[in-house]
Amino acid sequence: MTRVGTDVAVTGLGLVTPAGVDEDAFWDGLCAGVSTARRCEELAGLPVDFGCPVDGVDLDEAIGGRSVWRMARFVKMALLAARRAVADAGLSPDRWDGDRVGVVLGVGVGGVSALVDNVRRLDGGGAEAVSPLLVPMMMPNAAAGEVAIALRAYGPSLAPATACASGATALALARDLLLDGRCDVVVAGGADAVLTPLVVSAFAGMGALSRRTGDPAGASRPFAEDRDGFVIGEGAGVLVLERPADALARGGRPRALLTGAGSATDAHHPTAPDPSGGGARKAVTAALNEAGWRPDQVDHINAHGTATPLNDAMEAALIAGLFPHRPSVTAPKGVLGHTLAASGAIEAAACVLTLERGTVPPIANLGAASEEFDLDCVTGGARSQEIERVLSHSFGFGGHNVVLALRRFGTDRPSPSDRGVLDNA
């Protein structure tokens, strides 16, 4: 069933990213358009020895308490982002009905570093050397569980794993929980922290990563003619979602509206996108139909933009084909690297800030889009633009395609005659 023009409100943002660990630092970093990639000591000696780590925060100190010892890095990032999102929304576990609060946090593979460390312990010292905390540290649902514990959220707690679309999947599921009446508040987003030799070696071995080892800061080049792969990053992005009427009734501040979400699967290849863009197109179409928008009403697109040859070619053709009016396009992975399961949520937060501030961040390392792409890419500096409606694309290994439609709070909905125009697209 398509729920046309049914909104949920984004009332809080929490961010832990390579560009910054608070909203203002994150936004300033995006708008500066300078890559955060650098060489990483833990990757020294590998064919790809650089990435986009989160710097400038002591996660243990920021979280506090004894429970940090049972948490993997991705869980700590998720918890910090969640706490900040809830505070930004003006909410508190001391004042809400926890039975009506849900948590949905997308994840990639869980606590890889803890798993690798304990494999070494097992090999070196036998079974007694394995940490009794390994299971809660490595399990993929640990972030959702720990956030629910910390926030005393007793509603549904979910951990969708749709690879690089996980954060966007989490937001789409959160929207469903609100519209179905199962929750009044949902804390949703994604987190990933796999800047480890094992994972980086695996991505490099399959040819997914940029090999610009002589120029890490210039390596992530979405939509550039000479792009050669993504740069791996880490981070967390968490949004608080509520029904608009509920938020306003409690004196809350809707920062933007999530008014549509579309999902579709390529069923094509484990890691490569369908070059025809069929699944991605269906996801875009579904998001537009739920939002009740015509394609020409979209002002801006936050592209998945990984800087891999296959993804960017597919996505550019998709955008040019569906949106001939050439909405502005940005790709935050030029600055942040690819934060994997966190990327969809972090980029949704970027869309909220774009809607609020009327500014589109530039694509790092892009002087001009490849001549094969008919896109209005924002380059050279942030662009001032009055924006009402935004799409955010997330595409993941396994053929997962998720597209979110967000609009500025206060934007009038299209008339009923405008709706359903993509049913046969």
Side-chain angles (χ1 to χ4, degrees):
M1 179 179 67
T2 299
R3 294 172 290 203
V4 177
T6 304
D7 302 320
V8 300
V10 178
T11 57
L13 301 179
L15 293 154
V16 178
T17 79
V21 295
D22 62 67
E23 181 180 308
D24 289 337
F26 165 76
W27 185 247
D28 289 346
L30 273 192
C31 289
V34 177
S35 172
T36 59
R38 63 168 175 81
R39 286 191 173 81
C40 302
E41 182 178 350
E42 60 270 33
L43 304 179
L46 298 181
V48 175
D49 60 359
F50 60 92
C52 294
V54 169
D55 293 322
V57 62
D58 183 325
L59 293 171
D60 289 355
E61 181 178 342
I63 293 171
R66 297 179 59 188
S67 62
V68 296
W69 296 106
R70 70 180 183 227
M71 298 180 192
R73 184 171 173 83
F74 83 103
V75 177
K76 296 174 186 178
M77 291 181 176
L79 180 53
L80 181 57
R83 285 178 174 176
R84 290 178 171 176
V86 170
D88 182 51
L91 292 166
S92 168
D94 294 331
R95 298 192 299 272
W96 65 28
D97 178 2
D99 289 339
R100 300 291 298 167
V101 179
V103 174
V104 189
L105 287 175
V107 65
V109 292
V112 173
S113 294
L115 179 60
V116 170
D117 177 58
N118 277 272
V119 168
R120 292 191 181 116
R121 293 187 188 189
L122 179 63
D123 288 345
E128 295 301 319
V130 175
S131 171
L133 296 178
L134 173 58
V135 172
M137 291 182 75
M138 74 176 185
M139 62 188 191
N141 62 311
E146 291 285 5
V147 168
I149 292 167
L151 299 181
R152 300 195 295 280
Y154 305 114
S157 177
L158 306 173
T162 52
C164 304
S166 298
T169 298
L171 294 169
L173 289 173
R175 179 173 179 267
D176 289 342
L177 290 174
L178 289 166
L179 295 183
D180 290 345
R182 297 180 62 193
C183 295
D184 296 328
V185 176
V186 184
V187 179
D192 235 338
V194 291
L195 261 173
T196 68
L198 177 67
V199 175
V200 171
S201 295
F203 275 123
M206 68 186 298
L209 299 184
S210 171
R211 294 297 185 110
R212 293 176 182 269
T213 55
D215 181 23
S220 185
R221 311 172 69 81
F223 299 111
E225 187 170 359
D226 58 350
R227 66 196 185 279
D228 71 329
F230 70 81
V231 175
I232 195 167
E234 63 177 2
V238 175
L239 287 69
V240 174
L241 302 180
E242 304 174 67
R243 287 179 292 271
D246 294 344
L248 292 170
R250 68 169 180 84
R253 172 184 56 131
R255 302 190 60 175
L257 299 173
L258 175 57
T259 195
S263 301
T265 305
D266 286 349
H268 167 74
H269 188 274
T271 58
D274 180 352
S276 75
R281 180 185 176 92
K282 291 174 185 174
V284 171
T285 297
L288 290 172
N289 279 337
E290 277 206 351
W293 301 350
R294 300 187 311 268
D296 64 4
Q297 291 178 305
V298 174
D299 302 306
H300 170 62
I301 293 174
N302 184 103
H304 188 57
T306 57
T308 58
L310 294 179
N311 175 86
D312 288 10
M314 178 279 290
E315 189 172 18
L318 170 76
I319 294 171
L322 277 177
F323 305 99
H325 65 293
R326 302 181 83 244
S328 61
V329 175
T330 195
K333 293 178 182 69
V335 171
L336 304 173
H338 195 343
T339 56
L340 305 175
S343 61
I346 291 172
E347 291 173 22
C351 290
V352 171
L353 295 172
T354 286
L355 288 164
E356 285 185 328
R357 304 187 185 201
T359 302
V360 179
I363 301 175
N365 298 317
L366 183 66
S370 172
E371 291 185 1
E372 65 180 307
F373 302 151
D374 183 18
L375 301 178
D376 180 17
C377 290
V378 178
T379 63
R383 178 188 297 180
S384 295
Q385 181 185 350
E386 184 153 340
I387 294 175
E388 302 287 346
R389 297 175 178 85
V390 174
L391 292 183
S392 187
H393 295 173
S394 294
F395 310 135
F397 281 1
H400 303 287
N401 303 286
V402 181
V403 175
L404 304 176
L406 299 104
R407 67 183 180 95
R408 189 163 62 87
F409 179 63
T411 302
D412 291 332
R413 289 196 183 110
S415 66
S417 63
D418 290 333
R419 297 175 179 167
V421 295
L422 284 180
D423 289 342
N424 297 315

